[in-house]
Amino acid sequence: MEFFHVKRDIPFMSYGKLTTAISLGTFVLAVFFLVIKGLNFGVEFTGGTVMELRYSQSVEVSQVRHRIESLKYGEVQVQSLGTTKDVMVRIPNIKGKSSAQLSNEVLDNLKKERSDVELRKVEFIGPSVGDELFKHGATALVLVIVGIVAYLMLRFEWRFAFSAIIANMHDVVIILGVFALFQWEFSLTVLAGILAVLGYSVNESVVVFDRIRENFRKPNLRGKSVPEVIDNAITATLSRTIITHGSTEAMVLAMLIFGGAALHGFAMALTIGIVFGIYSSVLVASPLLLMFGVTRDRMIKPERIKEEAVV
């Protein structure tokens, strides 16, 4: 299906140096914010108190959040637990106050407005648990990257594999940099969003790279230069890119706007990742192929070159 047919190839590669410079600049800025400001880790990583509350009648999560925020505990997470009566509250560690003290203060404050609230469960997440979750999350991220590199090197030659992984890491660092800049909370759901972005971004790179490899083998493109072959491949997949990413971004934006606090971090990571995933697959990964010296001869077996020469 092709809703957006482009008759002439768009010269993407003629802007390769410019887009690479822009990408390098945004990458450096993201690293700068990560080093200077750092990530604002959530309760899962830093430790804290988790409370499960139940109301006898339906309650608005925003109402509960407003009451708890009046206690000025810092970054507090309040979300529904599947029904309009059950609420989960995450409170960061407060120096000088135990988990029991925090839960009692929260419950007393909520009962001032509505007496039908009861405490179902309280859990304390210690710093050691947070460190363990952080290590496991970092391990998961590294394993995903290694798996993507292995897959790409099996499917393509090393130039394609390294171009794609550099573009993917560009997306991840940009997401982390934005979260560091605005000090948005970095939770396990955000980490899940980043892992999803890695898979999503590499899929777009594979689609473009497959078309580039096919173009190198097409006799009618034999006289074209490598940048022209890449431009043709990107232009040919442009309709698919617009439809796929447009529909996906619309769904993610719906989660971001209507999903509430529970899905905000996950949806925000995906929103940023999808936008930069399109950019990096087209305007970062493809120019890197030229920098790594990909040529038509390297993409076609010698016997195939001889056959085409005879034809």
Side-chain angles (χ1 to χ4, degrees):
M1 185 179 292
E2 192 174 25
F3 289 157
F4 309 96
H5 180 67
V6 182
K7 294 182 179 180
R8 298 182 62 180
D9 292 344
I10 302 173
F12 290 103
M13 292 304 98
S14 62
Y15 306 104
K17 291 182 179 179
L18 175 62
T19 56
T20 303
I22 293 173
S23 300
L24 182 61
T26 54
F27 183 89
V28 171
L29 277 176
V31 172
F32 173 79
F33 290 125
L34 279 171
V35 173
I36 299 301
K37 290 193 169 187
L39 292 171
N40 178 24
F41 289 106
V43 174
E44 298 97 328
F45 297 113
T46 60
T49 301
V50 179
M51 303 171 58
E52 289 187 15
L53 306 172
R54 169 165 288 184
Y55 286 80
S56 59
Q57 301 294 329
S58 297
V59 64
E60 292 288 337
V61 173
S62 58
Q63 178 185 356
V64 179
R65 184 181 296 110
H66 177 71
R67 290 294 303 178
I68 298 176
E69 285 178 349
S70 66
L71 295 172
K72 301 187 184 303
Y73 286 153
E75 194 75 31
V76 177
Q77 296 179 29
V78 182
Q79 64 188 71
S80 174
L81 275 176
T83 69
T84 56
K85 299 179 182 179
D86 297 307
V87 178
M88 182 170 66
V89 179
R90 290 189 177 97
I91 306 170
N93 286 323
I94 306 296
K95 193 173 182 179
K97 291 187 178 183
S98 65
S99 180
Q101 288 176 315
L102 288 172
S103 60
N104 288 332
E105 288 179 7
V106 169
L107 191 61
D108 291 341
N109 187 271
L110 292 175
K111 282 185 175 181
K112 290 178 183 177
E113 186 174 32
R114 287 186 54 170
S115 59
D116 61 333
V117 59
E118 62 174 318
L119 181 63
R120 299 295 303 276
K121 186 170 67 172
V122 178
E123 292 181 350
F124 174 70
I125 303 175
S128 59
V129 177
D131 290 340
E132 186 178 352
L133 286 173
F134 179 80
K135 290 176 182 177
H136 288 172
T139 302
L141 188 61
V142 171
L143 288 177
V144 168
I145 293 171
V146 171
I148 289 173
V149 172
Y151 166 74
L152 290 172
M153 292 193 74
L154 287 172
R155 181 157 183 172
F156 303 99
E157 69 164 6
W158 68 267
R159 292 171 181 81
F160 285 82
F162 280 100
S163 297
I165 201 60
I166 290 173
N168 286 0
M169 291 310 300
H170 165 271
D171 301 339
V172 171
V173 173
I174 294 299
I175 296 173
L176 295 176
V178 172
F179 271 79
L181 171 62
F182 295 104
Q183 286 296 286
W184 292 331
E185 186 179 59
F186 188 86
S187 61
L188 286 175
T189 56
V190 176
L191 178 60
I194 290 176
L195 294 176
V197 166
L198 273 171
Y200 190 87
S201 183
V202 75
N203 176 69
E204 179 64 25
S205 298
V206 166
V207 170
V208 175
F209 285 174
D210 262 335
R211 183 55 66 95
I212 293 173
R213 186 168 58 180
E214 290 174 8
N215 280 359
F216 277 121
R217 294 185 172 95
K218 288 181 179 179
N220 61 315
L221 297 176
R222 190 186 309 165
K224 291 185 177 293
S225 63
V226 173
E228 289 174 330
V229 170
I230 296 176
D231 288 339
N232 179 269
I234 297 173
T235 304
T237 58
L238 194 59
S239 176
R240 177 256 175 207
T241 299
I242 294 173
I243 295 170
T244 303
H245 293 284
S247 57
T248 307
E249 190 68 48
M251 180 271 294
V252 172
L253 285 174
M255 281 198 301
L256 180 65
I257 297 170
F258 304 109
L263 293 175
H264 185 269
F266 177 75
M268 182 60 73
L270 283 177
T271 301
I272 300 170
I274 290 173
V275 171
F276 278 94
I278 302 171
Y279 174 83
S280 64
S281 297
V282 174
L283 298 174
V284 177
S286 298
L288 284 175
L289 289 176
L290 298 177
M291 293 177 61
F292 286 141
V294 68
T295 63
R296 187 172 183 273
D297 293 345
R298 288 194 177 103
M299 296 304 302
I300 307 176
K301 294 180 180 179
E303 56 270 20
R304 179 69 179 271
I305 297 175
K306 291 179 182 178
E307 290 175 6
E308 291 183 359
V310 171
V311 174

